[in-house]
Amino acid sequence: RTADRATPSPRPNAWRVQNLVLAAIPLALFKLVFCIAVLAFGAFRLHLTSGALQTLTFTMLVFAGQGMNFVLRERGPLWTSRPSTLMMSFSLMDIAIISTVAITGFLTPSLPVRLILELLGATVLFLLAIDQVKVVLLRYMRID
């Protein structure tokens, strides 16, 4: 028994590694642009210290990484199937723990609650956008 409910392939997969790599490049570049934009916002708009930027980076990478698990688990839109309760629980716990660390400043410089919530919102918007890019890429690259 698996810990997720992602839709299985309708037929056996033929691993077209070249197509997978070509589809991954734009997704990785899109994520890189998001990460750079968040860091630039923190550095140039909010004038965060280097320690606070490290906390922001760590938090952003965890939020985006957790979200990418949900984006990449389906070939279609991420809402095609409901994730398992176990997967959702562990993902939400991870986000809650990291948010608590970032807000309280445990082992790292703290960030305001509002900034963490704004980062979470920006990450959700990023994930919805990259999900649409993924759907188009997978269809165009004929990755079933």
Side-chain angles (χ1 to χ4, degrees), residues 19 22-24 26-27 71 74-78 128-144:
N19 287 5
L22 290 174
L27 295 176
V71 169
E74 284 286 351
R75 290 168 185 80
L78 64 90
L128 291 172
I130 202 168
D131 187 57
Q132 296 305 306
V133 172
K134 172 207 69 178
V135 170
V136 170
L137 277 172
L138 295 183
R139 189 175 302 134
Y140 176 75
M141 301 296 292
R142 293 190 176 100
I143 297 173
D144 300 320

Side-chain angles (χ1 to χ4, degrees), residues 17-85:
V17 176
Q18 181 179 1
N19 287 5
L20 289 172
V21 170
L22 290 174
I25 291 170
L27 295 176
L29 290 174
F30 198 50
K31 186 174 177 183
L32 178 64
V33 168
F34 172 71
C35 292
I36 290 171
V38 168
L39 288 175
F41 186 81
F44 302 119
R45 176 85 172 179
L46 301 177
H47 306 289
L48 296 176
T49 65
S50 62
L53 282 173
Q54 288 174 347
T55 304
L56 181 68
T57 302
F58 176 64
T59 307
M60 170 192 51
L61 290 173
V62 170
F63 287 0
Q66 286 298 315
M68 289 300 286
N69 289 329
F70 295 97
V71 169
L72 297 175
R73 62 185 279 279
E74 284 286 351
R75 290 168 185 80
L78 64 90
W79 54 82
T80 301
S81 66
R82 188 175 67 83
S84 71
T85 303

